Amino acid sequence: MPELPASSSSPEPLQPRLDGFFVREWRPEGGRIRGAFLLLHGMESHSGWFADLAPRLTADGWAVFAPDQPGWGQSPGRRGHLGGYRDLLERISGLASELRESHGRLHLAGMSWGGLAALYAALRRGWLFDSLALLAPGIFSRRDLAPASRLLAAGAILAGRRDILLNPVFRPEDFTSRPEWREFIRTDAERTRRVDASFCLETLKMRRFVRETAGKRRLPPALCLLAGRDRIIDNQAVAALCRRAGIQVEALPDAAHSLIFENPAATAGFLARQAAAREASGNPAPTRPTWLVGPGAVGGALASLLSFGRQPTGLLSRPGRSGRLRGGFRLQAGSAWRQSAGALVYAETAAALPPRPALVILAVKSFSLPAALAALAGKIPADAAIAAIGNGVLSEAAIAKSFPRHSVIAAVLCAGLETLAPGVVSWPDDRGGLAAAMYQGDAELAREAWQGAMTATGMESHWFAGPRAAERLKWSKLMLNAGFNALNALTGWSSAGILRQPDCGKLAVRAMREGFQVMRALSLAPVDLPGFQVARLGLLLRLPPSLARALLARRPAPEREAAFSMRQDFLKRR
């Protein structure tokens, strides 16, 4: 049986901001550390399985960190239990934030089930990672459980017994063809041999999110390495999803599932090559910059995300405010955070912004729009597109009047953002995204400018086309605001909290119902927005208000109790 190499550092766990789960770490001996790897283990394995791979990365100058998920390896917790895939995300991203702050560069990699978790984390919070590597990822599995265990899992979940333990079907021979590693797996005292129904259910949810979202959100530069003789993973299905998501796929033709045992040298080289390519890329080929007008929650979040995507960006703020922002923006999402790069240019006059922008984004409230347009008069080149990200349905008309020869884009942002302090933007639930449509001008130029910038943010972005697309887009967002913004400003309740209160919920329903009636009178059909099925909402609101409220209240709402933009203005006495 092979001996696992000892860690070159203390076996004591790190102390993340969250619960103190065990983290193995390997550091290069002397010299400069190039950056860090965060490695995620599989369903039956633990961080110790990386002990042959990690020293090969440290020899190349990388620090390596591999956590044991709670209940796996040396971490405390119920064996084989996953309470929620969102909790998993919080643990991964909280640790990632700390490693990024201490090491500058951070590359994420996961094997088997850990590959699924890594892809999920990168789709949700790709702005935390410089690259992503998937090692035989468990996105599509040939088999996880025996048929009898599948039936038992389904019955346990329906009965509310998510703690029922189940036996995976894998044998050491499924993991590796090498006899010495088969013996190691067979005798590994820390190997997880049983998982519970909760783990199975949460894994199914995570797989569903990944399959539905891949290709809709931008990932960091990503590679997938498959094992040609894999008995566990459906390589064909995984490769098809990776192509849809823009992930480059390679394979070791003669390798079994556990690449870290089959060919650790080739696997380490694959990881190091991906990370080094990202490091060597530096800044991308010069692109025309983006101007952002308004450093509030929306402008600050977009500025941060653009800087993470290495997009040249200039931020125009009110006089006297730019000095408080020169340290950059801190973007927070749950337990994750990241400080924006220093590449942002802060200015109080348009003349000080980077020249010749391709896109100008107005992230200001409707009542601040006239002043913003006046400040930009004569400063925007004729071949730049102008987009207003706001809720006002008349903003685009005002822009077109001030800039009649420019391309104008109608845009909305569906995300709960809040400014906690100057330069600190909170994004409690990092779902949602951006949607845009053409209002006036050169559609090809506008779409190219918009998508070029939005791709750099990593947010999900949709472009709508067709007759009156801009009006349909803005009015669809207005329907969501009409029901909840004013009530949230008065009560502080989230949309779910409002709907749980019969009187308040019926008031929200009536407001949205009236809005949809106006849309129909204007011959405007609603469109679905990122994270919100507005068209289906319009149909549901044709039911009696009490019934519509009750049905909406039963739907799980992703956001926590939060201050919407109107409440933020109300509390700040604007």
Side-chain angles (χ1 to χ4, degrees):
M1 184 183 76
E3 292 291 331
L4 287 176
S7 169
S8 62
S9 62
S10 168
E12 292 298 316
L14 294 176
Q15 295 299 323
R17 295 193 311 121
L18 303 174
D19 47 336
F21 53 94
F22 182 81
V23 181
R24 277 187 172 87
E25 58 177 295
W26 295 263
R27 295 181 180 274
E29 294 183 3
R32 175 176 170 269
I33 296 178
R34 302 173 65 177
F37 269 96
L38 176 58
L39 306 181
L40 305 182
H41 63 73
M43 180 171 70
E44 294 195 24
S45 61
H46 53 83
S47 63
W49 285 31
F50 293 115
D52 194 17
L53 175 75
R56 300 172 189 270
L57 292 170
T58 60
D60 204 25
W62 305 100
V64 180
F65 300 84
D68 284 339
Q69 297 300 330
W72 270 258
Q74 298 188 36
S75 285
R78 197 161 78 224
R79 277 292 181 187
H81 175 74
L82 180 61
Y85 66 98
R86 291 186 180 90
D87 296 334
L88 174 69
L89 174 67
E90 294 306 308
R91 287 192 294 271
I92 294 172
S93 54
L95 179 58
S97 296
E98 294 188 354
L99 295 178
R100 170 169 283 285
E101 195 161 277
S102 59
H103 290 77
R105 299 289 191 187
L106 180 63
H107 305 280
L108 178 65
M111 71 171 191
S112 194
W113 180 87
L116 169 66
L119 179 55
Y120 171 71
L123 284 168
R124 288 290 302 275
R125 294 176 183 167
W127 43 271
L128 282 171
F129 308 105
D130 288 289
S131 74
L132 169 69
L134 309 176
L135 307 177
I139 306 165
F140 295 90
S141 180
R142 289 184 176 182
R143 52 198 174 102
D144 289 325
L145 301 172
S149 292
R150 289 175 182 267
L151 289 174
L152 180 58
I157 291 166
L158 290 173
R161 291 294 309 277
R162 296 178 62 176
D163 58 339
I164 296 293
L165 290 172
L166 307 160
N167 294 316
V169 297
F170 307 129
R171 304 165 301 167
E173 291 76 12
D174 295 323
F175 290 100
T176 178
S177 60
R178 296 178 60 182
E180 68 274 22
W181 286 114
R182 289 181 182 177
E183 182 62 20
F184 163 73
I185 294 170
R186 187 174 290 111
T187 58
D188 182 9
E190 294 183 8
R191 177 184 168 199
T192 299
R193 288 170 168 80
R194 304 179 78 186
V195 295
D196 64 14
S198 175
F199 176 90
C200 297
L201 178 61
E202 297 304 315
T203 296
L204 286 174
K205 292 178 182 178
M206 192 157 53
R207 282 175 173 161
R208 180 180 177 182
F209 179 89
V210 164
R211 293 169 185 177
E212 291 179 349
T213 310
K216 295 180 180 178
R217 292 190 177 198
R218 176 180 177 267
L219 289 165
L223 288 175
C224 176
L225 185 62
L226 298 176
R229 295 189 294 105
D230 203 318
R231 300 178 183 176
I232 296 175
I233 300 304
D234 184 340
N235 281 347
Q236 186 174 358
V238 169
L241 180 136
C242 286
R243 286 192 293 270
R244 175 158 55 91
I247 301 172
Q248 183 178 338
V249 180
E250 299 181 14
L252 296 179
D254 297 325
H257 176 70
S258 289
L259 299 166
I260 57 175
F261 295 151
E262 291 288 278
N263 196 330
T267 304
F270 169 83
L271 296 176
R273 174 164 50 85
Q274 165 71 351
R278 175 62 169 169
E279 299 294 317
S281 66
N283 291 322
T287 59
R288 290 177 60 182
T290 298
W291 286 3
L292 269 166
V293 181
V298 173
L302 288 177
S304 297
L305 292 169
L306 286 167
S307 73
F308 302 156
R310 305 184 182 186
Q311 169 70 14
T313 305
L315 186 61
L316 184 64
S317 66
R318 295 191 302 269
R321 190 174 183 185
S322 63
R324 292 182 291 171
L325 303 174
R326 293 190 185 279
F329 280 90
R330 181 181 175 95
L331 181 63
Q332 298 183 184
S335 61
W337 74 94
R338 186 175 172 187
Q339 195 75 19
S340 61
L344 290 172
V345 174
Y346 300 92
E348 295 181 356
T349 64
L353 291 172
R356 296 195 66 249
L359 178 67
V360 177
I361 300 175
L362 302 175
V364 296
K365 302 290 180 68
S366 297
F367 48 76
S368 300
L369 185 61
L373 294 175
L376 294 170
K379 306 294 193 307
I380 303 176
D383 61 347
I386 307 172
I389 295 186
N391 299 326
V393 295
L394 300 178
S395 297
E396 288 73 27
I399 298 171
K401 184 177 179 180
S402 297
F403 294 89
R405 294 182 176 83
H406 285 73
S407 297
V408 178
I409 300 169
V412 297
L413 174 66
C414 298
L417 299 168
E418 183 178 0
T419 301
L420 301 181
V424 181
V425 177
S426 171
W427 190 1
D429 188 328
D430 54 354
R431 296 198 184 209
L434 294 145
M438 194 67 206
Y439 181 82
Q440 154 186 297
D442 187 332
E444 184 176 350
L445 178 150
R447 183 171 183 174
E448 181 179 349
W450 173 263
Q451 292 187 330
M454 294 308 105
T455 296
T457 69
M459 294 184 78
E460 185 176 341
S461 180
H462 296 256
W463 181 272
F464 291 94
R468 305 180 71 184
E471 292 177 274
R472 296 171 62 201
L473 175 72
K474 299 300 288 258
W475 274 86
S476 295
K477 177 64 185 299
L478 178 59
M479 294 305 96
L480 302 176
N481 296 329
F484 300 107
N485 274 20
L487 291 173
N488 171 262
L490 292 171
T491 66
W493 297 332
S494 68
S495 57
I498 290 168
L499 290 168
R500 283 193 295 265
Q501 305 295 324
D503 291 339
C504 201
K506 282 189 286 186
L507 183 59
V509 165
R510 288 193 179 103
M512 290 187 290
R513 192 176 184 181
E514 180 181 342
F516 279 104
Q517 290 171 347
V518 174
M519 284 192 72
R520 287 193 293 272
L522 294 173
S523 299
L524 294 173
V527 297
D528 290 338
L529 302 174
F532 297 92
Q533 295 178 316
V534 183
R536 183 177 296 181
L537 175 65
L539 294 175
L540 190 150
L541 289 171
R542 296 192 181 193
L543 297 172
S546 296
L547 179 57
R549 182 205 69 81
L551 292 174
L552 287 170
R554 293 177 59 185
R555 296 175 62 85
E559 86 275 10
R560 302 175 178 88
E561 301 295 316
F564 297 172
S565 58
M566 186 180 290
R567 179 167 175 80
Q568 294 175 44
D569 288 336
F570 177 75
L571 294 175
K572 294 174 181 177
R573 300 181 182 277
R574 289 175 179 164

